[in-house]
Amino acid sequence: MSELRVLSPTAILGYGFPLSSFQAGLERDPHVIAVDAGSTDPGPYYLGAGKSFTQRAPVKRDLHYLVKAALERGIPLIIGTAGGSGAKPHVDWTLEIIKEILQELGVRAKLTVIYSDVDRELLLRELRRGRIQPLGPVGPLTEEEILASSHIVAQMGLEPIMEALEAGAQIIVAGRAYDPTVFAALPVLKGYDLALALHMGKILECAAIAASPGSGSDCLFGYLQEDAFILEALSPERTCTKLSVAAHTLYEKSNPYELPGPGGTLDLRETRFAELPGGKVKVSGTRFRPTEKYYLKLEGARQVGYRTISIAGVRDPIMISQIDDIIAAVKERVADNFRDLRDYQLHVHCYGKNGVMGSLEPQIEPAHELGLVMEAVAPTQEVADTICSFFRSTLLHYGYPGRKSTAGNLAFPYSPSDTSTGAVYRFNIYHLLEVDDPKGLFPLEIREE
């Protein structure tokens, strides 16, 4: 083929898209519809708890149109990092929605499921063999962390998805996947340049965020050619520019010239961006440098306790001027009152002062009002509730120098003032696993639904 066409409907499955944009994409006769369904951006809770950060109703709405269009046109639909985090509960959750849609449409389809969960015993063996190493500023992996993780996934590359396509899959539901792979798998299978296919996938995975004005809830279209690829926004409200596409090439990257992934690194030093008529951008020059060994990124999360929060506002300029000292003093009172409780954490996020940047905040002087988010994390919900409640009530009536009002220091927007938010997780595995076979951890399950 002189070009291979890829439709990316939305930045994350469930974020939605205008039907007019989606129809415009279908009119361009795509060879594949691909969508990324997950991210680590919402934090470790969703991987740890096995829950989706997108809601069922909007995910089903999006999938209804994607499944229907793909089956009617006889082109594959590829879903990566299903359910938000890509572990088995997330994949199964997505599969149930697809089954419902197929029943409602009165059609059958050949589904291929690719789970990405990693067996703990296998990881323990590989750790003892020295085949797991840290990724970024994290410590070495330990056996204790492997055993404590609620879910562990490996981020698959192109190879399992290409194998599913070769097997004739109509709908592919993949667990945790390297974001560009669902967009690049069919092009690479058809013989297109690996570097260009992955680079195009890197941009398509966030759909119209790469356009101007950007939106994660709109479609983007990619045309992959022999020596370049072209991107086009599908809404008349948006256009692709050199700046918008180049900026998204830099998205989520620690090095502006390199993008590492399974099997190698994209080299962007010679990449060129050119604007074409009609709001399109042509990209060329990207190269791929394979690594000597093949590595998969591991992601794991473990539960570390339970959280309770309380939200309050402060507008007293005298209190605001002393807020750091006051918070420190109230924390000391909590520690003194609960000397037998050592294993808890107490945090206060001061929005209006340094709530976003914390210690990195360059502007020291606070505004005329502050929003406080008080947070307690403890081994049990009861202890978290206790610590948060005591801190909140003590701060409410704390006497500080120059205080004029005795009615209370805080304004609460909600009653009850405290909210028990449940289990707290942290990412405890963010490491690289050396593998001999890129497909070995990702067996295919072919189903007729």
Side-chain angles (χ1 to χ4, degrees):
M1 295 183 289
S2 60
E3 66 178 16
L4 193 143
R5 298 177 294 277
V6 181
L7 171 57
S8 172
T10 185
I12 289 181
L13 188 65
Y15 277 18
F17 47 83
L19 291 182
S20 57
S21 296
F22 186 63
Q23 183 59 38
L26 295 178
E27 291 170 358
R28 285 154 176 77
D29 196 19
H31 297 100
V32 60
I33 300 172
V35 62
D36 180 21
S39 175
T40 56
D41 292 353
Y45 172 82
Y46 301 96
L47 175 59
K51 296 181 180 179
S52 173
F53 63 84
T54 49
Q55 296 300 306
R56 196 181 196 278
V59 169
K60 183 176 180 180
R61 179 267 184 192
D62 288 359
L63 278 173
H64 170 85
Y65 293 107
L66 305 187
V67 168
K68 185 173 184 291
L71 295 181
E72 287 178 348
R73 292 172 171 269
I75 60 176
L77 167 62
I78 309 176
I79 302 162
T81 311
S85 298
K88 189 176 188 300
H90 306 96
V91 174
D92 290 343
W93 180 81
T94 306
L95 286 171
E96 286 301 317
I97 297 174
I98 292 175
K99 290 179 184 178
E100 283 185 16
I101 292 170
L102 293 174
Q103 292 174 356
E104 291 167 3
L105 293 174
V107 297
R108 297 182 62 82
K110 185 175 182 180
L111 269 68
T112 299
V113 185
I114 313 175
Y115 290 107
S116 60
D117 304 76
V118 186
D119 179 72
R120 288 171 177 77
E121 291 301 321
L122 180 148
L123 285 184
L124 290 172
R125 292 195 300 269
E126 295 302 286
L127 181 65
R128 293 162 189 159
R129 294 178 62 193
R131 303 237 292 179
I132 300 178
Q133 63 187 51
L135 176 59
V138 298
L141 188 58
T142 66
E143 293 190 6
E144 190 273 334
E145 293 293 350
I146 291 174
L147 295 173
S149 301
S150 57
H151 295 288
I152 307 172
V153 293
Q155 194 180 74
M156 72 183 74
L158 290 164
E159 294 81 1
I161 299 173
M162 291 169 62
E163 183 181 18
L165 289 169
E166 287 183 303
Q170 294 174 287
I171 301 173
I172 299 173
V173 182
R176 187 67 171 112
Y178 179 48
D179 292 351
T181 56
V182 296
F183 306 92
L186 182 62
V188 174
L189 184 63
K190 297 295 185 181
Y192 284 86
D193 182 77
L194 174 61
L196 292 174
L198 286 172
H199 189 179
M200 186 175 77
K202 159 69 179 172
I203 299 174
L204 286 176
E205 57 119 336
C206 281
I209 288 179
S212 181
S215 172
S217 302
D218 207 342
C219 308
L220 195 68
F221 203 87
Y223 306 81
L224 182 58
Q225 301 172 342
E226 182 179 355
D227 58 356
F229 62 88
I230 297 171
L231 297 169
E232 179 186 19
L234 296 173
S235 167
E237 299 176 1
R238 312 184 198 286
T239 185
C240 287
T241 69
K242 286 196 298 183
L243 179 60
S244 69
V245 173
H248 200 73
T249 295
L250 299 175
Y251 176 68
E252 294 181 334
K253 292 172 74 279
S254 57
N255 184 324
Y257 299 110
E258 297 180 352
L259 178 64
T265 299
L266 283 184
D267 186 338
L268 303 164
R269 290 171 177 83
E270 302 300 323
T271 301
R272 297 292 179 266
F273 303 88
E275 291 185 2
L276 303 178
K280 300 178 182 179
V281 170
K282 182 177 182 179
V283 183
S284 60
T286 305
R287 301 289 180 261
F288 184 80
R289 292 189 286 105
T291 50
E292 182 180 348
K293 298 177 180 180
Y294 197 105
Y295 295 95
L296 296 171
K297 187 175 82 164
L298 300 172
E299 295 170 358
R302 69 175 293 179
Q303 186 175 343
V304 295
Y306 296 83
R307 176 183 286 121
T308 305
I309 65 170
S310 185
I311 300 173
V314 177
R315 204 180 185 283
D316 178 5
I318 300 173
M319 185 179 185
I320 289 174
S321 68
Q322 305 174 54
I323 192 66
D324 291 337
D325 293 337
I326 292 171
I327 289 173
V330 176
K331 284 185 176 181
E332 288 181 8
R333 290 203 180 175
V334 173
D336 180 69
N337 201 80
F338 298 100
R339 293 182 181 181
D340 57 330
L341 296 178
R342 298 293 183 185
D343 193 16
Y344 71 84
Q345 302 173 51
L346 183 56
H347 307 286
V348 181
H349 309 279
C350 265
Y351 290 94
K353 184 176 185 294
N354 59 2
V356 176
M357 297 283 288
S359 61
L360 299 177
E361 176 57 57
Q363 297 185 25
I364 304 301
E365 293 301 320
H368 70 280
E369 64 180 11
L370 300 178
L372 306 182
V373 178
M374 297 161 269
E375 171 193 11
V377 177
T380 68
Q381 191 70 68
E382 182 180 5
V383 173
D385 291 347
T386 299
I387 295 298
C388 184
S389 173
F390 190 87
F391 180 88
R392 179 256 308 149
S393 62
T394 304
L395 182 60
L396 172 63
H397 298 293
Y398 182 78
Y400 48 87
R403 180 185 182 201
K404 292 181 171 59
S405 170
T406 59
N409 307 320
L410 307 176
F412 296 100
Y414 306 113
S415 177
S417 57
D418 303 349
T419 302
S420 303
T421 63
V424 180
Y425 294 84
R426 68 174 175 86
F427 285 122
N428 66 325
I429 299 179
Y430 200 81
H431 294 72
L432 293 177
L433 170 66
E434 178 187 339
V435 296
D436 299 318
D437 179 3
K439 299 184 291 187
L441 295 180
F442 310 106
L444 307 186
E445 292 188 14
I446 299 174
R447 307 177 184 182
E448 292 284 346
E449 299 290 351

